[in-house]
Amino acid sequence: MDTPILMPNLGNEIDEAQIDEWFKTEGDMVTEGEQIVLITTPKVTMEIEAPATGILKKILVPADELAAVGTTLGIIET
Amino acid sequence: MPKEIHIDPKTFKVRSALNAPPIPIHAYDENIEAERARYGDEGLLQILRDMMIIREFETILASLKAKGAYCGIEFNYKGPAHLSIGQEAAAVGAAASLEPHDHIFGSHRSHGEFIAKGLSAIRKLPDDAMRLIMESHERGALLRTVETSLQGPKGIETAENFLLLGLLAEIFMRSTGFNRGMGGSMHAFFPPFGTYPNNAIVGASAGIATGAALRKKLAGASGITVANAGDGSTGCGPVWEAMNFAAMAQFDTLWADAFKGGLPVLFFFNNNFYAMGGQTIGETMGWDRLSRIGLAVNQQAIHAETVDGTNPLAVADAVARKRELLVQGRGPALLDVECYRSSGHSTTDINSYRTKDEMQAWEQHDPIILFSNRLQEAGIVTAGQVAELREQTTDRMRSITAIAVDPALTPPVDIHADPTLIGKLMFSNTNIELPSQEVSLLKPVDAVSRVRQDAKKSRYGFAEDGAKLSPMRAITLRDALFETVLHHMTHDDSLVAYGEECREWGGAFGVYRGLAEILPHDRLFNSPISEAAIVATAVGFALEGGRALVELMYGDFLGRAGDEVFNQMAKWQSMSGGQLKVPVVLRCSIGSKYGAQHSQDWTALCAHIPGLKVVYPATPYDAKGLLASALSGNDPVVFFESQRLYDTVEQFRNEGVPTGYYQLPIGEPDCKRAGEDVTILTVGPSLYSALAAAEELESTFGISAEVIDARSLVPFNYEPVLASIRKTGRIVLVSEASERGSFLMTLAANITRFGYETLHAAPRVIGSPNWIVPGAEMESTYFPQKDDILDVITSELFPGQRSNRRSIRDWDDRELARLGL
């Protein structure tokens, strides 16, 4: 089953954020709750945790790109 | 920046008990022979003499206040006289163990400390340095008076007379006084002798001396600072904030080796048992001995001790031991110096709060009598010599008083000759040149991810197709502030930045995000939630020669730092007669969405207090340039920022926000939209409501509005606004401050006066109503909106428009005023 990694809702007035760094590469094992990607909003830098345990099958938004709230950033295959 | 201190639950679940070190009470073991060896007989006599000088000096004031004369010299002294008669041993004992480069900060009862420290410095400073100091003060005017009018041997005696006459002249608020007559009895000081501001606000020196100690530490300067205060000040929150600030654990846990250890500040409490009329022991405080409060501060109980303040040698011994700890980086320290004020709190005090018995019992402990007896018992001096010394002191004071009261020799401040003389002292209007060299950093600026991200952003807020860019794609007001802070922090190592959450968090609103990656803790640190200490230490840091950028997370927290902003930051430049500078920039964000205690615009409070420059930019370009001016200027600035505007991109300047460093002058309103029929002058985020209103006025009503952004409140150049109303004849002023007492009311009144002949209608102020800021969903009913502005302009200024009202503000302002609203 595929579990999407979503850009979370980061506050009332924030529509998009930047992907700073993926801590994993495609094919890596990830554990639910593990920090997997670093993002920056206009105000803060924060890590997003893996929503499931499995293999990082696909990175859809690479580092340095912007993504809107709700965008699928990557896929974990469980 | 990773978190460095781990909070392990296991550690905090262990049953145990806290241990506290014992607090020594009267640890001093008197041995007169050892003291003779240490000071020499001449040195011990000097201590007696210094106490007598202080006693007689204060007797001048007591006598002038009570009888209008001293030793036959008549003078009507109108100012205050908070005397320390009975407390001289504390002042002289402390000064004996201080060096000229140790800096004391005092209270409203500090004549004794001033004189004692001055006399000590005079004896310790080299002759040529002393001469230069005297020749520099008021271009030698005071020195010439001393040399021509006071007979006697030259050398040290001249310097002492310079000290005593300079102080008395200052107490009389004369032009040759140490503060050019701008300080007076409660605020006299003279930095060349290491006497820094004496403060009429109880306990206020605690935070200022702490900030000065921080500067000494960071600048690698030698010496310590001393916060002189009374026992009553232990009831003041800012004193506790200062003690904690000085003892923050981070100095040891997080700061680099060169800066380890608590701050070199000695909290010196002249404990005379009375906080004016309330008794600290047994009545107004919980402590039994003042030194007990040290236990609340840190594991070392900040080396607190209770000392016999009637014995100068006991005080000198304690101060010498504490000073040693402080210079080793083991500060701060606290001394509870018990002494008794035999004079009243002031000259109108009839001692109704204490008994004759008690006063008589303490007469036996008068420090001058005790010490004189001690010296006589040791065979150092005879009773006759003591009497002679007393007589000489009185003679000298009589001569000094005669000169001080003589307007020809000690001229009054001539306000009539220059009516704005005091006004000219409020701001220095000077600035520093930023060094072009970068200071050393933890890593290169380009390695900061934020810097790299921002470099990719557009400098202008609109795309080529006219679409507005998101704050992730264009430089925002937040980024613009960051760029100026980054530039100053990386080019000026005398500048320190701190406040709550300033480091890893980057400030609660992310303005400093990324700075912690390149700046060590001694440049940027998290402060405790101590607004009073944040501002007071910044003032002390600046008075000691540094520059401070501090922030109060919300402007609403100004109340927590009220004295520090309104009495300290604002006033020391002018109260020093222009001799001191206070380069402090205080950032305050104004909230939104958070309701009554986190969203109010208090700019008017700051603009009301003389001595503060007040800035409130609304665009990224203005924010970047105005903060640069604030940080390079030498005057205190309160810099307001709207949280609603942090994500605002540049919308006015087609070239965008320059990438390089630039300054914009503080005090110049800026036209953001040209128009012909009506002027809208805005402060802060109201700019954007006004612009929206202007667009609709144009399209729907054919009314052309000119929009001017005030950008600064103090100073304020009226000319651009007056030029605009000469064209339009009408003006609406808009800000988010509550209308009653808003700074817009001052602007409106002055615009009416300066531009009366060109106005077709009275200026109209639109602010927030005089009630609390409501929650997020109700804010549009509170802060002036586009429709509120449209209604006023179409119905009041252009009644021919006959438009329907749109906003909810259909209320009767006079009726609301009658109801207190």
Side-chain angles (χ1 to χ4, degrees), chain A residues 12-14 16-18 20 40-45 64 66-67, chain B residues 450 453 456 470-473 478-479 505 508-510 513 593 647:
Chain A
N12 288 343
E13 285 140 23
I14 294 172
E16 59 182 354
Q18 174 171 297
D20 285 337
T40 297
T41 74
K43 190 168 139 181
V44 296
T45 299
D64 282 354
L66 294 174
Chain B
R450 182 193 191 159
Q453 284 163 9
K456 286 185 246 162
S470 91
M472 289 305 298
R473 294 167 193 268
R478 175 190 287 110
D479 300 328
W505 201 311
F509 313 103
R513 183 170 57 81
K593 309 190 299 253
D647 279 338

PDB file of all heavy atoms in Angstrom, chain A residues 12-14 16-18 20 40-45 64 66-67, chain B residues 450 453 456 470-473 478-479 505 508-510 513 593 647:
ATOM      1  N   ASN A  12      -2.553  29.592   9.485  1.00  0.00           N
ATOM      2  CA  ASN A  12      -3.633  30.233   8.733  1.00  0.00           C
ATOM      3  C   ASN A  12      -3.187  30.877   7.436  1.00  0.00           C
ATOM      4  O   ASN A  12      -3.864  30.806   6.434  1.00  0.00           O
ATOM      5  CB  ASN A  12      -4.256  31.337   9.596  1.00  0.00           C
ATOM      6  CG  ASN A  12      -5.066  30.746  10.714  1.00  0.00           C
ATOM      7  OD1 ASN A  12      -5.409  29.580  10.644  1.00  0.00           O
ATOM      8  ND2 ASN A  12      -5.364  31.533  11.726  1.00  0.00           N
ATOM      9  N   GLU A  13      -2.034  31.553   7.478  1.00  0.00           N
ATOM     10  CA  GLU A  13      -1.688  32.373   6.322  1.00  0.00           C
ATOM     11  C   GLU A  13      -0.564  31.778   5.485  1.00  0.00           C
ATOM     12  O   GLU A  13       0.004  32.452   4.637  1.00  0.00           O
ATOM     13  CB  GLU A  13      -1.320  33.781   6.799  1.00  0.00           C
ATOM     14  CG  GLU A  13      -2.540  34.570   7.204  1.00  0.00           C
ATOM     15  CD  GLU A  13      -2.329  35.414   8.438  1.00  0.00           C
ATOM     16  OE1 GLU A  13      -1.171  35.731   8.741  1.00  0.00           O
ATOM     17  OE2 GLU A  13      -3.333  35.728   9.107  1.00  0.00           O
ATOM     18  N   ILE A  14      -0.225  30.521   5.765  1.00  0.00           N
ATOM     19  CA  ILE A  14       0.883  29.928   5.017  1.00  0.00           C
ATOM     20  C   ILE A  14       0.320  28.958   3.983  1.00  0.00           C
ATOM     21  O   ILE A  14      -0.323  27.973   4.318  1.00  0.00           O
ATOM     22  CB  ILE A  14       1.871  29.238   5.986  1.00  0.00           C
ATOM     23  CG1 ILE A  14       2.513  30.309   6.864  1.00  0.00           C
ATOM     24  CG2 ILE A  14       2.925  28.465   5.211  1.00  0.00           C
ATOM     25  CD1 ILE A  14       3.358  29.788   7.976  1.00  0.00           C
ATOM     26  N   GLU A  16       2.326  27.820   1.208  1.00  0.00           N
ATOM     27  CA  GLU A  16       3.330  26.936   0.638  1.00  0.00           C
ATOM     28  C   GLU A  16       4.617  27.012   1.457  1.00  0.00           C
ATOM     29  O   GLU A  16       4.817  27.931   2.245  1.00  0.00           O
ATOM     30  CB  GLU A  16       3.608  27.299  -0.827  1.00  0.00           C
ATOM     31  CG  GLU A  16       4.095  28.730  -1.026  1.00  0.00           C
ATOM     32  CD  GLU A  16       4.324  29.079  -2.493  1.00  0.00           C
ATOM     33  OE1 GLU A  16       4.211  28.189  -3.353  1.00  0.00           O
ATOM     34  OE2 GLU A  16       4.650  30.246  -2.771  1.00  0.00           O
ATOM     35  N   ALA A  17       5.450  26.002   1.276  1.00  0.00           N
ATOM     36  CA  ALA A  17       6.729  25.969   1.995  1.00  0.00           C
ATOM     37  C   ALA A  17       7.775  25.353   1.077  1.00  0.00           C
ATOM     38  O   ALA A  17       7.447  24.760   0.061  1.00  0.00           O
ATOM     39  CB  ALA A  17       6.594  25.161   3.273  1.00  0.00           C
ATOM     40  N   GLN A  18       9.034  25.526   1.496  1.00  0.00           N
ATOM     41  CA  GLN A  18      10.127  25.023   0.656  1.00  0.00           C
ATOM     42  C   GLN A  18      10.691  23.726   1.219  1.00  0.00           C
ATOM     43  O   GLN A  18      10.820  23.571   2.428  1.00  0.00           O
ATOM     44  CB  GLN A  18      11.237  26.071   0.608  1.00  0.00           C
ATOM     45  CG  GLN A  18      12.470  25.568  -0.123  1.00  0.00           C
ATOM     46  CD  GLN A  18      13.469  26.676  -0.357  1.00  0.00           C
ATOM     47  OE1 GLN A  18      13.183  27.640  -1.061  1.00  0.00           O
ATOM     48  NE2 GLN A  18      14.636  26.533   0.228  1.00  0.00           N
ATOM     49  N   ASP A  20      13.747  21.807   2.057  1.00  0.00           N
ATOM     50  CA  ASP A  20      15.172  22.133   2.227  1.00  0.00           C
ATOM     51  C   ASP A  20      16.039  20.909   1.954  1.00  0.00           C
ATOM     52  O   ASP A  20      17.071  21.001   1.306  1.00  0.00           O
ATOM     53  CB  ASP A  20      15.435  22.576   3.670  1.00  0.00           C
ATOM     54  CG  ASP A  20      14.921  23.966   3.907  1.00  0.00           C
ATOM     55  OD1 ASP A  20      14.780  24.706   2.913  1.00  0.00           O
ATOM     56  OD2 ASP A  20      14.646  24.305   5.067  1.00  0.00           O
ATOM     57  N   THR A  40      10.922  24.600   5.097  1.00  0.00           N
ATOM     58  CA  THR A  40      10.972  25.967   5.631  1.00  0.00           C
ATOM     59  C   THR A  40       9.746  26.736   5.178  1.00  0.00           C
ATOM     60  O   THR A  40       9.415  26.730   3.990  1.00  0.00           O
ATOM     61  CB  THR A  40      12.228  26.693   5.139  1.00  0.00           C
ATOM     62  OG1 THR A  40      13.365  26.009   5.648  1.00  0.00           O
ATOM     63  CG2 THR A  40      12.276  28.123   5.673  1.00  0.00           C
ATOM     64  N   THR A  41       9.098  27.381   6.142  1.00  0.00           N
ATOM     65  CA  THR A  41       8.007  28.299   5.829  1.00  0.00           C
ATOM     66  C   THR A  41       8.610  29.702   5.894  1.00  0.00           C
ATOM     67  O   THR A  41       9.784  29.856   6.226  1.00  0.00           O
ATOM     68  CB  THR A  41       6.874  28.179   6.870  1.00  0.00           C
ATOM     69  OG1 THR A  41       7.313  28.809   8.061  1.00  0.00           O
ATOM     70  CG2 THR A  41       6.530  26.733   7.160  1.00  0.00           C
ATOM     71  N   PRO A  42       7.817  30.732   5.626  1.00  0.00           N
ATOM     72  CA  PRO A  42       8.398  32.078   5.765  1.00  0.00           C
ATOM     73  C   PRO A  42       8.927  32.328   7.174  1.00  0.00           C
ATOM     74  O   PRO A  42       9.774  33.180   7.389  1.00  0.00           O
ATOM     75  CB  PRO A  42       7.220  32.996   5.446  1.00  0.00           C
ATOM     76  CG  PRO A  42       6.326  32.181   4.574  1.00  0.00           C
ATOM     77  CD  PRO A  42       6.470  30.769   5.065  1.00  0.00           C
ATOM     78  N   LYS A  43       8.455  31.587   8.148  1.00  0.00           N
ATOM     79  CA  LYS A  43       8.774  31.893   9.543  1.00  0.00           C
ATOM     80  C   LYS A  43       9.676  30.868  10.224  1.00  0.00           C
ATOM     81  O   LYS A  43      10.527  31.237  11.009  1.00  0.00           O
ATOM     82  CB  LYS A  43       7.439  31.984  10.288  1.00  0.00           C
ATOM     83  CG  LYS A  43       7.504  32.525  11.677  1.00  0.00           C
ATOM     84  CD  LYS A  43       6.099  32.834  12.157  1.00  0.00           C
ATOM     85  CE  LYS A  43       5.890  32.442  13.587  1.00  0.00           C
ATOM     86  NZ  LYS A  43       4.545  32.699  14.055  1.00  0.00           N
ATOM     87  N   VAL A  44       9.480  29.588   9.931  1.00  0.00           N
ATOM     88  CA  VAL A  44      10.245  28.567  10.663  1.00  0.00           C
ATOM     89  C   VAL A  44      10.794  27.491   9.732  1.00  0.00           C
ATOM     90  O   VAL A  44      10.315  27.301   8.623  1.00  0.00           O
ATOM     91  CB  VAL A  44       9.380  27.841  11.731  1.00  0.00           C
ATOM     92  CG1 VAL A  44       8.929  28.790  12.807  1.00  0.00           C
ATOM     93  CG2 VAL A  44       8.184  27.151  11.094  1.00  0.00           C
ATOM     94  N   THR A  45      11.794  26.784  10.271  1.00  0.00           N
ATOM     95  CA  THR A  45      12.297  25.585   9.610  1.00  0.00           C
ATOM     96  C   THR A  45      11.871  24.405  10.464  1.00  0.00           C
ATOM     97  O   THR A  45      12.017  24.457  11.685  1.00  0.00           O
ATOM     98  CB  THR A  45      13.835  25.636   9.513  1.00  0.00           C
ATOM     99  OG1 THR A  45      14.175  26.785   8.738  1.00  0.00           O
ATOM    100  CG2 THR A  45      14.399  24.400   8.858  1.00  0.00           C
ATOM    101  N   ASP A  64      14.864  22.225  -2.468  1.00  0.00           N
ATOM    102  CA  ASP A  64      14.930  23.577  -3.048  1.00  0.00           C
ATOM    103  C   ASP A  64      13.659  23.974  -3.799  1.00  0.00           C
ATOM    104  O   ASP A  64      13.560  25.085  -4.284  1.00  0.00           O
ATOM    105  CB  ASP A  64      16.132  23.759  -3.992  1.00  0.00           C
ATOM    106  CG  ASP A  64      17.413  23.966  -3.195  1.00  0.00           C
ATOM    107  OD1 ASP A  64      17.303  24.075  -1.954  1.00  0.00           O
ATOM    108  OD2 ASP A  64      18.485  24.008  -3.800  1.00  0.00           O
ATOM    109  N   LEU A  66       9.429  24.571  -4.081  1.00  0.00           N
ATOM    110  CA  LEU A  66       8.305  24.975  -3.240  1.00  0.00           C
ATOM    111  C   LEU A  66       7.144  24.021  -3.469  1.00  0.00           C
ATOM    112  O   LEU A  66       6.971  23.493  -4.557  1.00  0.00           O
ATOM    113  CB  LEU A  66       7.852  26.388  -3.604  1.00  0.00           C
ATOM    114  CG  LEU A  66       8.849  27.505  -3.321  1.00  0.00           C
ATOM    115  CD1 LEU A  66       8.308  28.821  -3.875  1.00  0.00           C
ATOM    116  CD2 LEU A  66       9.090  27.647  -1.830  1.00  0.00           C
ATOM    117  N   ALA A  67       6.376  23.831  -2.405  1.00  0.00           N
ATOM    118  CA  ALA A  67       5.186  22.985  -2.557  1.00  0.00           C
ATOM    119  C   ALA A  67       4.055  23.588  -1.743  1.00  0.00           C
ATOM    120  O   ALA A  67       4.265  24.076  -0.629  1.00  0.00           O
ATOM    121  CB  ALA A  67       5.495  21.573  -2.071  1.00  0.00           C
TER     122      ALA A  67
ATOM    123  N   ARG B 450      18.991  29.905   5.227  1.00  0.00           N
ATOM    124  CA  ARG B 450      18.042  30.991   4.971  1.00  0.00           C
ATOM    125  C   ARG B 450      18.620  32.000   3.974  1.00  0.00           C
ATOM    126  O   ARG B 450      17.904  32.512   3.112  1.00  0.00           O
ATOM    127  CB  ARG B 450      17.700  31.707   6.264  1.00  0.00           C
ATOM    128  CG  ARG B 450      16.680  32.804   5.991  1.00  0.00           C
ATOM    129  CD  ARG B 450      16.505  33.754   7.129  1.00  0.00           C
ATOM    130  NE  ARG B 450      15.344  34.595   6.903  1.00  0.00           N
ATOM    131  CZ  ARG B 450      14.707  35.223   7.885  1.00  0.00           C
ATOM    132  NH1 ARG B 450      15.102  35.068   9.126  1.00  0.00           N
ATOM    133  NH2 ARG B 450      13.677  35.983   7.615  1.00  0.00           N
ATOM    134  N   GLN B 453      18.280  30.535   0.670  1.00  0.00           N
ATOM    135  CA  GLN B 453      16.878  30.551   0.211  1.00  0.00           C
ATOM    136  C   GLN B 453      16.466  31.955  -0.221  1.00  0.00           C
ATOM    137  O   GLN B 453      15.861  32.146  -1.269  1.00  0.00           O
ATOM    138  CB  GLN B 453      15.943  30.136   1.357  1.00  0.00           C
ATOM    139  CG  GLN B 453      15.947  28.655   1.645  1.00  0.00           C
ATOM    140  CD  GLN B 453      15.361  28.366   3.018  1.00  0.00           C
ATOM    141  OE1 GLN B 453      14.817  29.251   3.667  1.00  0.00           O
ATOM    142  NE2 GLN B 453      15.493  27.136   3.456  1.00  0.00           N
ATOM    143  N   LYS B 456      17.359  33.299  -3.569  1.00  0.00           N
ATOM    144  CA  LYS B 456      16.596  32.842  -4.743  1.00  0.00           C
ATOM    145  C   LYS B 456      15.302  33.613  -4.923  1.00  0.00           C
ATOM    146  O   LYS B 456      14.634  33.513  -5.948  1.00  0.00           O
ATOM    147  CB  LYS B 456      16.270  31.357  -4.586  1.00  0.00           C
ATOM    148  CG  LYS B 456      17.471  30.458  -4.810  1.00  0.00           C
ATOM    149  CD  LYS B 456      17.053  29.010  -4.754  1.00  0.00           C
ATOM    150  CE  LYS B 456      17.677  28.345  -3.549  1.00  0.00           C
ATOM    151  NZ  LYS B 456      17.059  27.116  -3.141  1.00  0.00           N
ATOM    152  N   SER B 470       4.106  34.894  -3.548  1.00  0.00           N
ATOM    153  CA  SER B 470       3.921  34.412  -2.177  1.00  0.00           C
ATOM    154  C   SER B 470       5.173  34.750  -1.359  1.00  0.00           C
ATOM    155  O   SER B 470       6.252  35.002  -1.915  1.00  0.00           O
ATOM    156  CB  SER B 470       3.701  32.901  -2.177  1.00  0.00           C
ATOM    157  OG  SER B 470       4.934  32.234  -2.046  1.00  0.00           O
ATOM    158  N   PRO B 471       5.039  34.745  -0.043  1.00  0.00           N
ATOM    159  CA  PRO B 471       6.210  35.069   0.800  1.00  0.00           C
ATOM    160  C   PRO B 471       7.340  34.057   0.684  1.00  0.00           C
ATOM    161  O   PRO B 471       8.436  34.316   1.139  1.00  0.00           O
ATOM    162  CB  PRO B 471       5.630  35.088   2.222  1.00  0.00           C
ATOM    163  CG  PRO B 471       4.284  34.473   2.138  1.00  0.00           C
ATOM    164  CD  PRO B 471       3.809  34.608   0.733  1.00  0.00           C
ATOM    165  N   MET B 472       7.089  32.916   0.032  1.00  0.00           N
ATOM    166  CA  MET B 472       8.179  31.976  -0.212  1.00  0.00           C
ATOM    167  C   MET B 472       8.939  32.342  -1.480  1.00  0.00           C
ATOM    168  O   MET B 472      10.002  31.810  -1.754  1.00  0.00           O
ATOM    169  CB  MET B 472       7.639  30.547  -0.363  1.00  0.00           C
ATOM    170  CG  MET B 472       7.131  29.926   0.916  1.00  0.00           C
ATOM    171  SD  MET B 472       8.344  29.922   2.258  1.00  0.00           S
ATOM    172  CE  MET B 472       9.643  28.906   1.593  1.00  0.00           C
ATOM    173  N   ARG B 473       8.361  33.247  -2.270  1.00  0.00           N
ATOM    174  CA  ARG B 473       8.956  33.536  -3.584  1.00  0.00           C
ATOM    175  C   ARG B 473       9.494  34.956  -3.694  1.00  0.00           C
ATOM    176  O   ARG B 473      10.176  35.285  -4.646  1.00  0.00           O
ATOM    177  CB  ARG B 473       7.924  33.300  -4.683  1.00  0.00           C
ATOM    178  CG  ARG B 473       7.532  31.845  -4.799  1.00  0.00           C
ATOM    179  CD  ARG B 473       6.299  31.659  -5.644  1.00  0.00           C
ATOM    180  NE  ARG B 473       5.760  30.305  -5.485  1.00  0.00           N
ATOM    181  CZ  ARG B 473       6.080  29.281  -6.265  1.00  0.00           C
ATOM    182  NH1 ARG B 473       6.889  29.444  -7.273  1.00  0.00           N
ATOM    183  NH2 ARG B 473       5.578  28.087  -6.034  1.00  0.00           N
ATOM    184  N   ARG B 478       9.789  40.520   6.847  1.00  0.00           N
ATOM    185  CA  ARG B 478      10.604  39.731   7.787  1.00  0.00           C
ATOM    186  C   ARG B 478      12.015  39.545   7.250  1.00  0.00           C
ATOM    187  O   ARG B 478      13.003  39.746   7.967  1.00  0.00           O
ATOM    188  CB  ARG B 478       9.928  38.377   8.015  1.00  0.00           C
ATOM    189  CG  ARG B 478      10.725  37.413   8.873  1.00  0.00           C
ATOM    190  CD  ARG B 478      10.134  36.006   8.863  1.00  0.00           C
ATOM    191  NE  ARG B 478       8.915  35.913   9.634  1.00  0.00           N
ATOM    192  CZ  ARG B 478       7.708  35.731   9.120  1.00  0.00           C
ATOM    193  NH1 ARG B 478       7.564  35.627   7.789  1.00  0.00           N
ATOM    194  NH2 ARG B 478       6.651  35.647   9.880  1.00  0.00           N
ATOM    195  N   ASP B 479      12.104  39.175   5.956  1.00  0.00           N
ATOM    196  CA  ASP B 479      13.428  38.951   5.345  1.00  0.00           C
ATOM    197  C   ASP B 479      14.232  40.255   5.288  1.00  0.00           C
ATOM    198  O   ASP B 479      15.448  40.258   5.462  1.00  0.00           O
ATOM    199  CB  ASP B 479      13.273  38.422   3.914  1.00  0.00           C
ATOM    200  CG  ASP B 479      12.515  37.094   3.854  1.00  0.00           C
ATOM    201  OD1 ASP B 479      12.623  36.305   4.808  1.00  0.00           O
ATOM    202  OD2 ASP B 479      11.812  36.871   2.850  1.00  0.00           O
ATOM    203  N   TRP B 505      14.924  29.532  17.969  1.00  0.00           N
ATOM    204  CA  TRP B 505      13.610  29.831  17.409  1.00  0.00           C
ATOM    205  C   TRP B 505      13.709  30.965  16.366  1.00  0.00           C
ATOM    206  O   TRP B 505      12.876  31.078  15.480  1.00  0.00           O
ATOM    207  CB  TRP B 505      12.674  30.236  18.568  1.00  0.00           C
ATOM    208  CG  TRP B 505      11.214  30.094  18.287  1.00  0.00           C
ATOM    209  CD1 TRP B 505      10.544  30.549  17.197  1.00  0.00           C
ATOM    210  CD2 TRP B 505      10.231  29.468  19.118  1.00  0.00           C
ATOM    211  NE1 TRP B 505       9.205  30.254  17.309  1.00  0.00           N
ATOM    212  CE2 TRP B 505       8.985  29.589  18.468  1.00  0.00           C
ATOM    213  CE3 TRP B 505      10.272  28.827  20.363  1.00  0.00           C
ATOM    214  CZ2 TRP B 505       7.803  29.096  19.024  1.00  0.00           C
ATOM    215  CZ3 TRP B 505       9.103  28.341  20.909  1.00  0.00           C
ATOM    216  CH2 TRP B 505       7.889  28.465  20.248  1.00  0.00           C
ATOM    217  N   ALA B 508      10.204  34.911  18.043  1.00  0.00           N
ATOM    218  CA  ALA B 508       8.910  34.232  17.943  1.00  0.00           C
ATOM    219  C   ALA B 508       8.332  34.311  16.532  1.00  0.00           C
ATOM    220  O   ALA B 508       7.507  33.496  16.151  1.00  0.00           O
ATOM    221  CB  ALA B 508       7.934  34.827  18.946  1.00  0.00           C
ATOM    222  N   PHE B 509       8.791  35.273  15.735  1.00  0.00           N
ATOM    223  CA  PHE B 509       8.229  35.440  14.394  1.00  0.00           C
ATOM    224  C   PHE B 509       9.264  35.223  13.301  1.00  0.00           C
ATOM    225  O   PHE B 509       9.095  35.640  12.161  1.00  0.00           O
ATOM    226  CB  PHE B 509       7.541  36.810  14.287  1.00  0.00           C
ATOM    227  CG  PHE B 509       6.662  37.026  15.476  1.00  0.00           C
ATOM    228  CD1 PHE B 509       7.045  37.851  16.523  1.00  0.00           C
ATOM    229  CD2 PHE B 509       5.485  36.306  15.594  1.00  0.00           C
ATOM    230  CE1 PHE B 509       6.264  37.967  17.653  1.00  0.00           C
ATOM    231  CE2 PHE B 509       4.695  36.416  16.722  1.00  0.00           C
ATOM    232  CZ  PHE B 509       5.081  37.246  17.750  1.00  0.00           C
ATOM    233  N   GLY B 510      10.379  34.598  13.692  1.00  0.00           N
ATOM    234  CA  GLY B 510      11.331  34.127  12.694  1.00  0.00           C
ATOM    235  C   GLY B 510      12.208  35.182  12.047  1.00  0.00           C
ATOM    236  O   GLY B 510      12.884  34.894  11.063  1.00  0.00           O
ATOM    237  N   ARG B 513      15.727  33.942  12.227  1.00  0.00           N
ATOM    238  CA  ARG B 513      15.945  32.548  11.846  1.00  0.00           C
ATOM    239  C   ARG B 513      17.219  32.425  11.020  1.00  0.00           C
ATOM    240  O   ARG B 513      17.401  33.151  10.040  1.00  0.00           O
ATOM    241  CB  ARG B 513      14.742  32.018  11.047  1.00  0.00           C
ATOM    242  CG  ARG B 513      14.837  30.553  10.676  1.00  0.00           C
ATOM    243  CD  ARG B 513      13.521  30.049  10.101  1.00  0.00           C
ATOM    244  NE  ARG B 513      13.088  30.822   8.946  1.00  0.00           N
ATOM    245  CZ  ARG B 513      13.553  30.649   7.712  1.00  0.00           C
ATOM    246  NH1 ARG B 513      14.473  29.742   7.473  1.00  0.00           N
ATOM    247  NH2 ARG B 513      13.107  31.395   6.714  1.00  0.00           N
ATOM    248  N   LYS B 593      -4.726  38.816  15.791  1.00  0.00           N
ATOM    249  CA  LYS B 593      -5.423  37.535  15.998  1.00  0.00           C
ATOM    250  C   LYS B 593      -5.411  37.075  17.452  1.00  0.00           C
ATOM    251  O   LYS B 593      -5.988  36.058  17.767  1.00  0.00           O
ATOM    252  CB  LYS B 593      -4.820  36.380  15.180  1.00  0.00           C
ATOM    253  CG  LYS B 593      -4.637  36.643  13.727  1.00  0.00           C
ATOM    254  CD  LYS B 593      -4.284  35.374  12.990  1.00  0.00           C
ATOM    255  CE  LYS B 593      -2.990  34.767  13.489  1.00  0.00           C
ATOM    256  NZ  LYS B 593      -1.860  34.879  12.623  1.00  0.00           N
ATOM    257  N   ASP B 647       4.878  38.851   6.477  1.00  0.00           N
ATOM    258  CA  ASP B 647       4.914  38.138   5.204  1.00  0.00           C
ATOM    259  C   ASP B 647       4.640  39.044   4.008  1.00  0.00           C
ATOM    260  O   ASP B 647       4.498  38.564   2.887  1.00  0.00           O
ATOM    261  CB  ASP B 647       3.870  37.009   5.204  1.00  0.00           C
ATOM    262  CG  ASP B 647       4.399  35.790   5.944  1.00  0.00           C
ATOM    263  OD1 ASP B 647       5.628  35.665   6.055  1.00  0.00           O
ATOM    264  OD2 ASP B 647       3.583  34.980   6.411  1.00  0.00           O
TER     265      ASP B 647
END
